Amino acid sequence: MRFRRKMNNEKLMIYKQIAQAIRDARSILIASHEDPDGDSLGSQLAISRVMRKLEKSPIIVNQGRIPFKYQFLPDIADITDIKNFGGDDNFDLVMILECPDAERTGAVKNLIHNGVKIINIDHHHDSRPFGAINYLDDKASSVGEMLFELFAAENLPIDRETAILLYAAILTDTGRFRYNSTTKRTMEVAGRLIDMGVNPREITDKIYFALPQSTLRLTGEVLSGITFHENGRICLLRLDKKMIDNHKTDISEMDGLADYTLAAKDVIVGGLLKEINGGFTKVSLRSRDKIDVSHVAHKYGGGGHINAAGFGVNKPIDSIINKLLDDLKELVHGSV
Ligand SMILES: [Mn+2]
């Protein structure tokens, strides 16, 4: 009980420091990882709305395309892609969400000058306290959940749009409340957001049931190439550049594919290999229970969670797939 009170006091202190830093700031940049996802976008836009209610004019800059399924989010047009950013980068406060370090922001890191005050908010278990203020919680399902706690503790205004943004962040990062990261607290927060006007059916449909036809056709083609290994305990999917071009779709639309690798009975480890261009492959790994795929991701310079991790290599799919399969076999045999 005393430890919990001490931990809560520490958190309350961090909430106070974050709120004060926002109030004291003159020019704020909100950044997150390359290739934005539901948690990064929902969280960036939610904190931006709250900052504007505190009469701040934060700037949100990202590297990477916003997937079609997130285009409905409130204020989505407020996000600038780094390649189109031509503004003044004289920020006195930089908030970095969802990143183990500033490198993970990609080219946006060029806007983060030495000595600028950084607020680091993250829930990955391999994140490091690289900011002046660090709000880290690897027990939280998402940064969206962490921001709700901050806003609630500091009595910061959560309007319906902000609630929608936080809900989208939590929904996507828990795999629709399926991943191990989903706790009683996560559900309580989701319940509070529904009280604040979120319609769960509406948000879920907009994200998961409003896909472009090309995305579904391509998903069908990828699934038809599915392979199983080690008595069905390992499943691999591959998405070649040629397939993407044939379907005239964008790779950012295919981020839901990796979850299919765990759909079959008996599979305990899954891998999705996506060929970004002829010479670069992105790998998403998924696993069940205590099997820690972030081990394999770290081996290739990547990272992530125990049951969801990823990495990228400067090689075409065919020259990495067999080596990856060997690593996953070792994982399945518990020798990692
Ligand atoms: Mn997240």
Side-chain angles (χ1 to χ4, degrees):
M1 194 55 191
R2 216 177 51 235
F3 168 72
R4 175 160 294 291
R5 213 179 7 261
K6 184 170 168 299
M7 200 181 67
N8 288 345
N9 286 342
E10 264 168 38
K11 257 197 189 151
L12 292 176
M13 272 287 291
I14 291 172
Y15 296 157
K16 280 215 171 333
Q17 289 170 352
I18 293 174
Q20 196 54 50
I22 293 170
R23 288 197 174 89
D24 296 344
R26 179 186 42 75
S27 171
I28 305 171
L29 169 67
I30 303 171
S32 187
H33 53 71
E34 291 174 59
D35 302 330
D37 61 16
D39 190 21
S40 66
L41 293 166
S43 297
Q44 286 177 301
L45 292 165
I47 189 100
S48 165
R49 272 189 87 80
V50 166
M51 287 176 177
R52 276 189 278 117
K53 295 222 193 272
L54 298 174
E55 280 140 29
K56 303 293 170 180
S57 318
I59 306 268
I60 307 175
V61 184
N62 282 340
Q63 176 175 323
R65 196 170 169 281
I66 296 172
F68 174 86
K69 61 184 163 186
Y70 301 123
Q71 299 287 352
F72 78 96
L73 290 173
D75 311 333
I76 198 73
D78 290 358
I79 296 183
T80 307
D81 192 301
I82 184 69
K83 61 179 188 287
N84 307 325
F85 181 77
D88 164 7
D89 61 356
N90 188 14
F91 303 108
D92 63 349
L93 181 66
V94 175
M95 183 170 279
I96 301 180
L97 306 179
E98 280 256 280
C99 294
D101 51 46
E103 282 300 310
R104 204 62 187 87
T105 64
V108 177
K109 72 173 176 294
N110 303 326
L111 303 180
I112 305 171
H113 301 310
N114 283 341
V116 69
K117 186 169 191 161
I118 291 176
I119 297 177
N120 164 27
I121 304 182
D122 191 22
H123 68 119
H124 291 87
H125 74 274
D126 53 1
S127 51
R128 288 183 289 277
F130 62 87
I133 303 173
N134 299 286
Y135 173 21
L136 304 178
D137 183 357
D138 64 1
K139 299 283 175 301
S141 69
S142 53
V143 168
E145 183 182 326
M146 295 172 72
L147 290 181
F148 176 86
E149 304 285 15
L150 165 68
F151 300 161
E154 290 296 312
N155 289 317
L156 295 169
I158 304 177
D159 60 13
R160 184 168 173 275
E161 284 73 20
T162 306
I164 286 170
L165 291 163
L166 294 176
Y167 189 88
I170 297 168
L171 179 75
T172 50
D173 239 31
T174 59
R176 289 179 264 182
F177 305 109
R178 180 180 142 259
Y179 299 156
N180 284 343
S181 58
T182 312
T183 65
K184 174 173 169 267
R185 184 63 191 150
T186 310
M187 294 306 214
E188 285 167 354
V189 169
R192 297 277 299 280
L193 295 170
I194 292 168
D195 284 346
M196 294 171 179
V198 169
N199 175 334
R201 168 80 190 257
E202 187 194 331
I203 306 302
T204 308
D205 280 4
K206 283 189 173 154
I207 296 174
Y208 294 100
F209 297 92
L211 300 171
Q213 289 182 9
S214 57
T215 301
L216 277 176
R217 289 187 201 290
L218 180 50
T219 302
E221 185 176 341
V222 171
L223 288 176
S224 66
I226 198 163
T227 60
F228 296 96
H229 313 267
E230 292 305 284
N231 302 323
R233 287 180 294 169
I234 297 174
C235 169
L236 293 180
L237 285 173
R238 57 181 296 161
L239 174 56
D240 300 283
K241 183 86 177 63
K242 220 167 59 274
M243 289 170 164
I244 297 165
D245 298 343
N246 288 350
H247 289 273
K248 298 185 182 54
T249 188
D250 186 276
I251 191 111
S252 65
E253 302 300 338
M254 306 308 291
D255 68 345
L257 265 179
D259 285 349
Y260 283 106
T261 63
L262 287 184
K265 195 169 85 52
D266 302 331
V267 171
I268 53 178
V269 170
L272 165 69
L273 298 96
K274 290 190 281 191
E275 202 165 60
I276 309 296
N277 55 46
F280 185 78
T281 299
K282 263 192 164 183
V283 177
S284 305
L285 300 173
R286 298 285 182 270
S287 63
R288 289 189 207 278
D289 309 320
K290 298 245 174 314
I291 297 193
D292 188 347
V293 283
S294 72
H295 271 306
V296 174
H298 280 135
K299 196 174 159 185
Y300 293 89
H305 304 276
I306 291 173
N307 295 134
F311 62 90
V313 281
N314 280 312
K315 290 186 179 134
I317 288 185
D318 288 324
S319 69
I320 173 113
I321 196 161
N322 295 328
K323 176 134 190 8
L324 176 67
L325 189 51
D326 289 344
D327 290 322
L328 297 181
K329 285 178 182 170
E330 275 186 36
L331 199 60
V332 164
H333 296 305
S335 52
V336 171

